[in-house]
Amino acid sequence: MTDELRGKKVAILATDGVERIEVEEPRGALHAAGAETELVSLHDGQISARQSDLEPAGTFPVDRQVADASVNDYDALLLPGGTMNPDQLRTDSDAVAFARAFMEGGKPVAAICHGPWTLAEAGVLSGRRLTSWPSIRTDLRNAGAEVVDEEVVVDRNLTSSRGPQDLPAFCTTMVDQFAKALQPA
């Protein structure tokens, strides 16, 4: 275990339909680096996870509803994918505002797979370079982003990856970028 994120708190913004592995692996990497995480969602209780979008894959307990969450309580944001998860988040004004505040405030954000969909809705991708799951790339381009097909892309405070196949590189880069961004000035 390392300590580069000790004392830091990361919000994981997700709801029903989240891709299980895209929560578990990044969360594990964050915890291994000493960070605390909170699952922030649209509703309280639990959210249902999926495997490959199709198979039920258990649940995750919700720590806080996004309507009651403040960006000031967190140091960074993780946006996992799964098709249904961000499709619901991007229709919720509180979730969209929460993601927008991280980007506009320059706080580090990591998004994988369909995760950047919420950022497109937030209107914060113009002039940004990123990657994602192939099926949402047109939406990201329409939001003004330069979309590339690479394992991991870092553009200022935003780290992005294509999907579960990129999790090892995504997790390492996310922790490195969060640690670099959160070092005392």
Side-chain angles (χ1 to χ4, degrees), residues 88-159:
Q88 293 177 77
L89 292 174
R90 68 191 182 129
T91 64
D92 183 272
S93 60
D94 292 322
V96 171
F98 189 70
R100 180 184 304 117
F102 276 92
M103 290 292 289
E104 290 178 346
K107 288 188 173 188
V109 175
I112 187 166
C113 195
H114 290 76
W117 235 353
T118 305
L119 299 175
E121 189 67 33
V124 293
L125 294 180
S126 184
R128 293 299 193 123
R129 185 175 186 270
L130 73 155
T131 193
S132 70
W133 189 256
S135 66
I136 68 165
R137 291 180 183 164
T138 297
D139 293 340
L140 301 180
R141 283 186 195 99
N142 288 342
E146 174 193 351
V147 183
V148 296
D149 184 11
E150 296 176 16
E151 186 177 53
V152 180
V153 176
V154 176
D155 181 345
R156 294 169 271 172
N157 65 320
L158 178 61
T159 300

Side-chain angles (χ1 to χ4, degrees), residues 6-23:
R6 172 117 4 249
K8 304 302 181 189
K9 187 188 278 188
V10 179
I12 302 171
L13 181 59
T15 195
D16 296 304
V18 69
E19 187 69 26
R20 181 172 200 87
I21 197 168
E22 293 175 6
V23 172

